[in-house]
Amino acid sequence: MNRFEYASAKSTQQAIGMLSSQWGETEIIAGGTDLLSLMKDDVVAPKRVVNIKEIPGLEGVSFDAQKGLRIGALTRLVDIAESPVVKQHYPRLADDVSDAASPQIRNMATIGGNLCQRPRCWYFRNGLGLLGQQDGKSLVKEGDNRYHAILGNEGPALFVSPSTIAPMLVALNAKVRIVGSSGSREVALENFFRIPKSENEREHDLKPNEIVTDILVPPLPAGAKVGNYEVRQKNAFDWPFATAVAFLQMNGSNVQSARIVMGAVAPVPWVSQEAAQALAGKPVNAQTASAAAAASVSKARALSQNGFKIKLAGVAVKRAILTAAGQHVPDIHEEKGGAA
Ligand SMILES: Cc1cc2nc3c(=O)[nH]c(=O)nc-3n(C[C@H](O)[C@H](O)[C@H](O)COP(=O)(O)OP(=O)(O)OC[C@H]3O[C@@H](n4cnc5c(N)ncnc54)[C@H](O)[C@@H]3O)c2cc1C
C-alpha cells in the first residue's frame, strides 16, 4: 500500500477543509469496506484519507409522519435493516438492506459509503480506469463484458452501478443531503448518480470536497405498493445480475402511476419510463407485468457477452411488479418460456 496521511475530522466543516478540490488526492473513509480494498489493490492512491466516523450527528434513523425518514450517512446497513421505524414504515427497504452483502459487511458498511461505493467492473478493479480504455479502445467492449451494462451503454462508461440499495431508494423518491464549503444542498437520488464521460469524473454528482450527510425518504403515500426482485447467480452474498424495484401508486385495482427502477443494468440506477408507461392505468397481472418487463428492456443493447442479462433484467422487472402487488411469484425454475 502507498504511504498516505490519515486525518480524523470532528465536524463536517473540518472534514470539508481536509478534503482536496481534486479527485484522487484525498478520499473520505466511512466503514472502509470498499475504500480499503481499492487502496490495497492500488486502484486508488490518495495522499490523505479523511475519517468521518468521529463526526457527531451523522448516524441514526428517525421518522416524522410529515417529513418521512432521515437516515444519517454514517448509519450502518445492519442498523437500517434492524430499525423498528424502517421495518414499520418502509418494510421493503429493510428487506432490501438486509439482503445486501454479508452480515460482516453490513456490520461495518455505512449507507453513505454504499451509495458512493465504486463500481465492481473488473477492468476498473484491475487498475485499468473507470472506463476500461487503453489506447483509445474499450477493453470492455473487446473483452469479457458478461456483467456490464445493457442500458445507458452508449459509452464510454460500460460498468454497472454497484449498490443494490440505491434502486430501492430511487424508487422511494429519496434525496441526499450534501454538504460542501458553500453550504448544503439536497439532490434527488435519481439525479445524484451520473454516467461519467471521462476518467476525471465520478459516478455521482459529488464534488471532491463534499460529503453526503443524510438520506431523506418521503413518507409512502396511501395506496403505494413497493416490491423488489434480484436475479442472482447464487443464493449467497454477491452482486446480482439484475435487480428491479416497482413502486406502484394504485387507484383501486389499477395502477395510477408507477416508478420502475432497475439495478445492475446501467452505469446508474435505471429509471424505466417505458415500463412505467406500460403499466399506467392497468391492473397488475401476469400479462401487464410481462408487457411492462418487455418495455423495460425494449431499448437494451447487449455487448458481445451479456445478451443473457436482457432476459434476466426483464424477469426482475416482472417479478418486482408482481411482488409489489402482493401476487405469487413462482420460483425462478417453475416458470417456463416467455419474455419474463
Ligand atoms: C463481499 C462483498 C459483498 C458485497 N455485496 C453487496 C451487495 O450485495 N449490495 C451492495 O449494495 N453492496 C455490496 N457490497 C458493497 C458494500 O455494501 C460497500 O462496500 C459498503 O456499503 C461501502 O460502505 P463503507 O461505509 O464501508 O464505505 P467506504 O469503503 O468507507 O467508502 C466507499 C466510498 O464512498 C466514499 N464515501 C463514504 N462515505 C461517504 C460520504 N458520507 N460522503 C461522500 N463519500 C463517501 C468513500 O470515499 C469511498 O469512495 C459488498 C461488498 C463486499 C466486500
Side-chain angles (χ1 to χ4, degrees), residues 27-38 52 73-74 77 99-102 105 108-118 120 162-165 202 206 210-213 230 232 237-240:
E27 295 283 351
I28 292 170
I29 187 163
T33 60
D34 191 31
L35 183 73
L36 291 179
S37 325
L38 290 166
I52 59 169
L74 283 182
L77 301 187
D99 277 347
S102 64
I105 303 276
M108 289 296 292
T110 66
I111 187 68
N114 183 276
L115 297 178
C116 298
Q117 65 175 292
R118 310 300 310 275
R120 304 307 300 185
S163 168
T164 56
I165 302 171
R202 290 240 169 153
L206 277 183
E210 286 186 321
I211 298 175
V212 174
T213 57
E230 295 190 352
R232 287 173 177 259
F237 63 89
D238 201 356
W239 283 264

Side-chain angles (χ1 to χ4, degrees), residues 74-123:
L74 283 182
T75 312
R76 297 178 311 156
L77 301 187
V78 64
D79 296 321
I80 301 172
E82 290 177 3
S83 157
V85 159
V86 179
K87 282 183 173 172
Q88 182 185 346
H89 297 282
Y90 306 86
R92 288 287 175 187
L93 173 61
D95 288 350
D96 189 57
V97 177
S98 66
D99 277 347
S102 64
Q104 290 90 339
I105 303 276
R106 290 194 297 276
N107 273 317
M108 289 296 292
T110 66
I111 187 68
N114 183 276
L115 297 178
C116 298
Q117 65 175 292
R118 310 300 310 275
R120 304 307 300 185
C121 165
W122 43 40
Y123 298 93

